Amino acid sequence: MKVFQETNGQHVDSYYAASANETTSYPQLNTDIEADVCIVGAGFSGLSTAIELAENGFKVVVIEAVKVGWAASGRNGGQILGGWKTGYDEMEKSWGLDAANMFVALSEEGKNIIYQRARKYSIDADIKKGFFLAAMNQSHMRDLHHYATDMNKWAYPHETQIVSQQDMKQHIDSDAYVGGMYDMGKGHFHPLNFVLGEARAASGLGVKVFESSPVVKISGGDEPTVFTRHGKVKAKQVVLAGNCYLGNVAPALEKKIMPASTFVIATEPLGEVRAKKLLPRNMAVCDMRHILDYYRLSADNRLLFGGKTIYSGANPKSIKSAMQKDMLKVFPQLADLKIDYAWGGHIDLAVNRMPHLGEYADNVFYMQGFSGYGVVPTHIAGRVMAEKIMGKSERYDVWSNVKHHSFPGGTLLRKPGFLLGSNFFRLRDMWAAIRP
Ligand SMILES: Cc1cc2nc3c(=O)[nH]c(=O)nc-3n(C[C@H](O)[C@H](O)[C@H](O)COP(=O)(O)OP(=O)(O)OC[C@H]3O[C@@H](n4cnc5c(N)ncnc54)[C@H](O)[C@@H]3O)c2cc1C
């Protein structure tokens, strides 16, 4: 698979790779082995499942095509968000009150898995609390007020506050916004260091991790088996946690997701004084457009600025200059800063933006469709998947019952169809910006 060769077996050249706490050198799978559970993919979802199972005494193998955290989990914006794009009222309407209540609880549990796992396994990932949702127009402000009512109704347990335009500089030194809302329940972290720490934790629990081992085939049944070019793993159960990279390994899964690209730049360090003026409360920030900017400070006071989701899965000609242009629209005062790193990655969009959990073939399960908000849901999905494998399927049953449609046009035509869709979102953002 060509995509796995793009970075010559290394992590993508990013600020995260340059500031990683450790390097990994897990072996390649060169033999035939057996396990209780074999997991394909060493990102957050695969490793989270592995840790939950290993903590409960299971013999687990994780097979990774390139390196631990090579894809989205080691490249993302590092924003620890609520996890679901779908609102709880909408969930209640579509799937019933019990399901909505379950997803409310799962979001909190997912964040706590991250915070508790960092403490339990001494994972140093610069975790910070605080998130700011920034409104770019009055239509966004109206949405924020609805959102605040919604949070109250669903008993959101953290400090939140709507911020008016005149108080914005206490949070973000930019004239791009008309207000916003801060939320102390969310936050940010160094995602690559977190996923590397999770691999170390899993390995310490006895999980066998293999890198440089692309899976080329799987078979389901009583003894599901995972094949690489140089070996195979016979297991009792298999979990596919490969984001949008599985391709021919599980072709039926591809129709339900759409790969899209999104990009991040890291400036040179701003210095403490300038960083504190830019984002005085050191919160992660997203704006409220459909095709949004997301940004935050790193531990060494760089601005990590992300956005520009491209639904065709392609890259702009120069990630650095395209993203710098977007950054300067929000922070023109940063024009003197050098951009030290620029990178991109793929997200697995689901039609309804809800992650899918399900059974692909007998004893072969999957998780996908984290849709660009996966930091928290991958962690809770790992726990719910592990529960299913351990024979406790209540939460898995509710989650896997969420209906998922295929992208119209199948894998061939979904991109042109979705490009039309993304232009529609752009127009919606423009209309919201000019509407009184
Ligand atoms: C640039 C970017 C910014 C983002 N920002 C945020 C954010 O700020 N907040 C947020 O909540 N979410 C964000 N996301 C989304 C989030 O990172 C993902 O939803 C999440 O990391 C997905 O985790 P995963 O384990 O499912 O997939 P991944 O981390 O992509 O891991 C899948 C792994 O499976 C491996 N694999 C696939 N196929 C095979 C195979 N055949 N054989 C062996 N291994 C295989 C891959 O190599 C990969 O390592 C962002 C994503 C990107 C790309």
Side-chain angles (χ1 to χ4, degrees):
M1 280 164 272
K2 254 178 36 208
V3 66
F4 297 132
Q5 288 150 21
E6 273 171 7
T7 56
N8 295 323
Q10 299 305 313
H11 287 114
V12 72
D13 182 18
S14 71
Y15 160 72
Y16 297 134
S19 55
N21 292 334
E22 53 197 295
T23 50
T24 56
S25 55
Y26 296 103
Q28 189 178 52
L29 181 72
N30 283 323
T31 176
D32 297 352
I33 56 173
E34 294 189 7
D36 293 330
V37 181
C38 178
I39 296 168
V40 180
F44 290 145
S45 54
L47 287 168
S48 201
T49 312
I51 290 173
E52 297 284 341
L53 287 168
E55 283 177 339
N56 284 281
F58 279 66
K59 232 173 95 187
V60 183
V61 167
V62 175
I63 310 280
E64 166 55 44
V66 191
K67 282 185 102 54
V68 167
W70 172 78
S73 300
R75 306 180 185 205
N76 63 60
Q79 308 223 351
I80 302 172
L81 306 172
W84 323 118
K85 187 85 169 97
T86 313
Y88 294 126
D89 280 349
E90 211 179 317
M91 289 187 185
E92 183 184 1
K93 228 184 282 160
S94 307
W95 312 315
L97 181 61
D98 287 350
N101 277 328
M102 184 188 90
F103 284 112
V104 171
L106 286 184
S107 170
E108 287 310 304
E109 195 176 326
K111 284 181 271 184
N112 285 333
I113 291 174
I114 293 174
Y115 301 139
Q116 285 161 5
R117 195 167 282 164
R119 282 196 295 274
K120 183 169 177 185
Y121 295 105
S122 305
I123 302 176
D124 180 4
D126 310 326
I127 294 178
K128 292 277 175 305
K129 296 258 181 94
F131 168 71
F132 198 96
L133 190 55
M136 301 194 80
N137 51 57
Q138 291 310 322
S139 161
H140 288 166
M141 282 308 280
R142 284 191 288 277
D143 288 347
L144 266 187
H145 284 281
H146 288 304
Y147 182 44
T149 315
D150 207 39
M151 284 170 121
N152 248 342
K153 177 179 162 195
W154 293 95
Y156 187 66
H158 303 283
E159 180 196 344
T160 60
Q161 173 91 53
I162 293 207
V163 175
S164 66
Q165 188 160 19
Q166 71 191 42
D167 292 333
M168 277 301 289
K169 294 277 161 97
Q170 292 169 27
H171 299 271
I172 308 173
D173 187 19
S174 170
D175 295 323
Y177 308 113
V178 300
M181 176 195 259
Y182 73 76
D183 174 348
M184 298 312 292
K186 304 184 173 90
H188 57 100
F189 70 169
H190 187 307
L192 181 59
N193 276 336
F194 196 78
V195 73
L196 292 173
E198 286 189 306
R200 183 172 30 82
S203 184
L205 290 163
V207 174
K208 290 201 175 104
V209 180
F210 294 92
E211 295 184 319
S212 314
S213 305
V215 168
V216 291
K217 196 174 92 175
I218 48 157
S219 65
D222 289 341
E223 280 190 336
T225 306
V226 169
F227 300 83
T228 70
R229 255 178 237 112
H230 306 290
K232 63 175 189 277
V233 186
K234 207 189 285 174
K236 294 179 188 136
Q237 270 126 343
V238 167
V239 178
L240 303 176
N243 191 343
C244 51
Y245 297 98
L246 288 167
N248 286 337
V249 172
L253 291 184
E254 263 200 308
K255 293 183 210 144
K256 308 257 179 197
I257 50 169
M258 157 90 179
S261 319
T262 169
F263 307 93
V264 185
I265 49 173
T267 65
E268 63 181 309
L270 276 78
E272 212 169 299
V273 174
R274 207 170 166 191
K276 189 129 185 80
K277 182 160 188 336
L278 197 76
L279 292 169
R281 296 187 64 187
N282 194 6
M283 292 184 180
V285 181
C286 283
D287 72 47
M288 294 178 68
R289 291 170 302 171
H290 288 93
I291 298 177
L292 74 167
D293 297 332
Y294 49 90
Y295 53 88
R296 66 188 186 88
L297 292 169
S298 64
D300 61 352
N301 289 318
R302 297 166 189 273
L303 183 67
L304 306 190
F305 191 94
K308 209 169 248 344
T309 306
I310 298 186
Y311 291 98
S312 64
N315 286 358
K317 233 189 247 152
S318 159
I319 297 175
K320 198 186 265 194
S321 47
M323 290 307 301
Q324 188 180 32
K325 207 165 135 203
D326 284 0
M327 179 186 81
L328 293 179
K329 283 185 201 153
V330 182
F331 297 118
Q333 68 271 41
L334 301 186
D336 61 311
L337 285 184
K338 205 155 64 66
I339 306 300
D340 281 346
Y341 303 95
W343 67 96
H346 290 117
I347 54 177
D348 46 351
L349 289 177
V351 172
N352 63 0
R353 303 294 195 276
M354 272 301 282
H356 315 183
L357 262 61
E359 191 163 359
Y360 180 71
D362 286 349
N363 293 314
V364 179
F365 299 91
Y366 69 92
M367 317 181 239
Q368 67 173 16
F370 292 101
S371 301
Y373 299 87
V375 166
V376 168
T378 46
H379 283 89
I380 189 62
R383 176 170 289 174
V384 172
M385 184 58 80
E387 286 171 3
K388 164 73 180 164
I389 288 169
M390 291 186 283
K392 292 180 275 179
S393 65
E394 292 86 354
R395 302 202 292 183
Y396 170 89
D397 288 344
V398 176
W399 197 334
S400 61
N401 267 333
V402 170
K403 204 158 175 43
H404 290 288
H405 297 287
S406 298
F407 276 89
T411 48
L412 266 185
L413 293 176
R414 65 190 166 166
K415 280 186 184 169
F418 218 72
L419 277 176
L420 282 175
S422 62
N423 285 335
F424 166 75
F425 285 135
R426 249 180 223 114
L427 283 172
R428 276 232 316 226
D429 286 339
M430 278 162 66
W431 167 238
I434 54 175
R435 200 170 61 179

